Amino acid sequence: MKVLRYIIFWMDLCLTFSQGYRILGIFPYQSKSHFNMFETLTKGLAKKGHQVDVISPFPQKRPFVNYTDLVVIPPQLNIVNNISYNTAKNIWTVQIVSNVAGNDICEHLAHPDIQKLIHNPPKDPPYDVVLIQVFAAHCFAIFGHLLNVPVIGISPPNLYPWYNSFVGNPKNLAILPNNLLPFVNPMNFWQRIYNTVSTAINQIYFNHLTEYQDEQIRKYVGPNLPGVRQLEANISMILVNSYFSLDGIRPLTQAIIEVGGLHVQDDNSKLPPELRKWMNESNDGFVYFSFGSMVKIESFPRHILDIFYKSFGKISPVNVLIKIANPEELPPGLPKNIRISSWLPQLKVLKHRNVKAFITHGGLLGTQEAISYGVPMIGIPLFSDQFTNIANYVKKNIAVKLDYENLSEDDMDAALNAILYNSTYRETARKLSQQFLDRPLKPIDTANFWIEYIVKYGKDALRSPAMDLNWWQVELLDVYAFLLLALIVIVYITIHLTLMFLNMISSKVNIKVSRVKKML
């Protein structure tokens, strides 16, 4: 019987591997938080029997079955635990995204190992699909053209203004705020105007700045190849880190697949014994404070750090756990109820029974983790979509927002008291968690299904008919112009005929009057 079970097991394993595809994942941008989603996705695909080759700055520390670090990208900028307060305030503009996360990243096309892949791709077996990050470095979609396979985009943030045109997705600017703006739906009239103008300007400016990638493709890959705009239009599908229960109801083309929270998977890592003991013994609860994998809390101005120290000290015996990359840079005077660490297993912390609240800058991946475990938040947004994220959570009554530029001790005290002692926030967070996680399929299974769907049925399987129209046709401007012209013509003819009729009546009346006068 044991032998039979072993035979069945190995037959099943072989069958699984034989059905697997070979996947090339290209994620060269050095953002650890973004890579968390890519890593979870690609490892999930590898577990399902697909062979995944990855190009990234973050190689695996231990071997993983079916997962190969094909090319390790050297970091151009050290942004992991290295973004200061002053940099964070000015980090997020379309220009910086287009250049630092776009054009500069495309210079990696010159990497010797990537050049080998360009000129001598594997053929036994060949690749079936290419996964790339849709953010700014869309030059890497050229691999879909070179390998003659579909390209699927992965977006760790929500949809940026320039994404919609890639797959013909409707912008819906009346109900969907640009995620670079701190608006929530419903927007008032002036916000809708600002949203419309800002979105148009952002997209035009992004396209202008990233046109340089056409030259990089010609320089590093070859002449007579598609430009970056054409490559974007050839993207078959985008897996986006959003979900309607959290981000709201909106019309989406079938080529936008929502897999929000895909990265929220327990990796079975163990808590350090001392940390586990501290959390278990925090019987009055503890607050978790982290600004993600980039921003250094210790670089904040002294007056803001003093506010944190004083406010955190007041909530004792509630403890505070803070992720500080360089503890030696903190000023003295840390309250006794605070524990600091340069690294923390965030999922384990947020999952712990004693965690009461999460103080965050509002990064999408970290806040999705808190929402998944029903943890209410205090949001202190610094840049990018963090303002939009926190505004959304405030509207849903699971967070309190603070303004870092005008932060006062009273504001911090009030936020802590509200989030710790007003049970409404935690109850709402738990309900939203249940709604966010309630789905027909897990996000990784959804992603796997649609990736396989594209491979099986071709790169145009989910292509929107809107991709074959000009923008003014999609917006029905030609139809509106025709209807307006027709209305003008009808009004003109009506007025002209009316005047003619009135003139005729007037003429007849005048003739009769003249006859009467003659008779008299």
Side-chain angles (χ1 to χ4, degrees), residues 39 121 176 195 208 210 229 240 297 407 409 463 487 514:
E39 184 178 31
L176 292 179
N195 186 41
H208 169 70
T210 54
R229 299 286 87 84
V240 61
I297 294 174
L407 186 63
E409 188 177 338
R463 181 181 174 85
L487 179 62
S514 298

Side-chain angles (χ1 to χ4, degrees), residues 221-468:
V221 185
N224 304 318
L225 292 172
V228 68
R229 299 286 87 84
Q230 184 178 344
L231 294 175
E232 290 169 347
N234 287 334
I235 291 174
S236 299
M237 179 177 73
I238 297 176
L239 300 174
V240 61
N241 188 25
S242 65
Y243 199 63
F244 72 90
S245 59
L246 179 60
D247 299 288
I249 305 296
R250 53 183 170 172
L252 293 174
T253 179
Q254 277 74 14
I256 298 289
I257 306 297
E258 293 193 300
V259 291
L262 182 146
H263 66 290
V264 186
Q265 293 190 33
D266 196 335
D267 60 0
N268 297 318
S269 61
K270 295 183 178 180
L271 285 167
E274 289 185 6
L275 177 60
R276 183 174 64 250
K277 182 174 183 293
W278 182 88
M279 290 195 298
N280 289 339
E281 293 177 353
S282 295
N283 296 321
D284 292 287
F286 67 90
V287 174
Y288 174 50
F289 184 9
S290 172
F291 277 173
S293 62
M294 295 169 60
V295 178
K296 298 169 60 178
I297 294 174
E298 60 273 26
S299 70
F300 274 51
R302 179 62 188 264
H303 74 276
I304 294 182
L305 293 176
D306 285 341
I307 290 171
F308 291 153
Y309 282 21
K310 292 174 182 177
S311 292
F312 293 160
K314 293 176 188 177
I315 64 173
S316 180
V318 176
N319 290 326
V320 182
L321 178 62
I322 311 180
K323 183 241 175 187
I324 298 291
N326 302 290
E328 67 279 0
E329 295 182 17
L330 279 176
L334 203 67
K336 293 181 180 180
N337 65 327
I338 293 181
R339 179 187 177 95
I340 60 175
S341 177
S342 59
W343 174 86
L344 289 164
Q346 184 157 287
L347 278 179
K348 295 287 187 183
V349 172
L350 291 170
K351 191 177 180 179
H352 197 275
R353 66 180 185 275
N354 287 337
V355 68
K356 297 295 184 184
F358 178 31
I359 302 177
T360 172
H361 60 333
L364 183 58
L365 282 85
T367 54
Q368 284 179 340
E369 292 169 1
I371 289 166
S372 295
Y373 294 117
V375 180
M377 292 172 276
I378 295 175
I380 310 176
L382 302 174
F383 56 86
S384 181
D385 60 343
Q386 295 163 12
F387 293 93
T388 305
N389 296 338
I390 295 300
N392 184 30
Y393 305 151
V394 169
K395 180 185 176 184
K396 292 183 180 298
N397 208 27
I398 63 168
V400 175
K401 179 189 174 185
L402 293 175
D403 181 358
Y404 70 93
E405 289 188 307
N406 300 297
L407 186 63
S408 69
E409 188 177 338
D410 289 341
D411 292 337
M412 193 76 228
D413 291 346
L416 286 167
N417 286 327
I419 215 74
L420 289 174
Y421 303 116
N422 184 343
S423 61
T424 301
Y425 289 102
R426 177 163 290 275
E427 290 169 4
T428 308
R430 285 173 176 168
K431 289 178 182 177
L432 183 59
S433 172
Q434 184 179 6
Q435 189 177 4
F436 183 59
L437 300 176
D438 192 1
R439 316 183 191 190
L441 286 175
K442 293 181 179 178
I444 184 61
D445 295 326
T446 300
N448 182 73
F449 173 85
W450 287 109
I451 289 172
E452 290 182 352
Y453 187 93
I454 290 294
V455 175
K456 285 188 288 187
Y457 300 113
K459 65 179 184 178
D460 293 332
L462 301 178
R463 181 181 174 85
S464 169
M467 295 297 292
D468 300 319

Side-chain angles (χ1 to χ4, degrees), residues 15-30:
L15 182 62
T16 299
F17 286 135
S18 68
Q19 292 178 333
Y21 297 118
R22 188 167 190 184
I23 299 172
L24 176 62
I26 308 176
F27 315 114
Y29 180 50
Q30 195 197 0

Side-chain angles (χ1 to χ4, degrees), residues 36-137:
N36 285 343
M37 181 180 180
F38 306 141
E39 184 178 31
T40 306
L41 172 63
T42 49
K43 283 185 173 180
L45 295 171
K47 287 179 181 178
K48 293 182 180 297
H50 302 299
Q51 181 181 342
V52 185
D53 297 339
V54 175
I55 298 173
S56 83
F58 303 103
Q60 296 298 304
K61 296 178 180 178
R62 293 186 298 272
F64 194 88
V65 176
N66 291 340
Y67 183 109
T68 302
D69 285 305
L70 189 67
V71 180
V72 179
I73 297 292
Q76 289 181 303
L77 293 173
N78 182 17
I79 61 175
V80 178
N81 293 324
N82 199 41
I83 300 296
S84 68
Y85 170 85
N86 289 327
T87 302
K89 290 193 301 180
N90 304 300
I91 193 174
W92 210 260
T93 64
V94 174
Q95 183 176 7
I96 290 176
V97 172
S98 302
N99 290 321
V100 176
N103 300 340
D104 293 352
I105 299 296
C106 287
E107 289 296 318
H108 289 305
L109 287 169
H111 190 288
D113 291 332
I114 293 181
Q115 284 291 304
K116 290 179 184 177
L117 182 63
I118 290 171
H119 297 292
N120 189 26
K123 296 181 174 61
D124 187 25
Y127 288 112
D128 296 293
V129 66
V130 174
L131 309 182
I132 68 166
Q133 177 178 13
V134 285
F135 192 43

Side-chain angles (χ1 to χ4, degrees), residues 34 119 156 159 335 445 483 515:
H34 286 197
H119 297 292
L159 295 176
D445 295 326
L483 293 176
R515 288 176 180 175

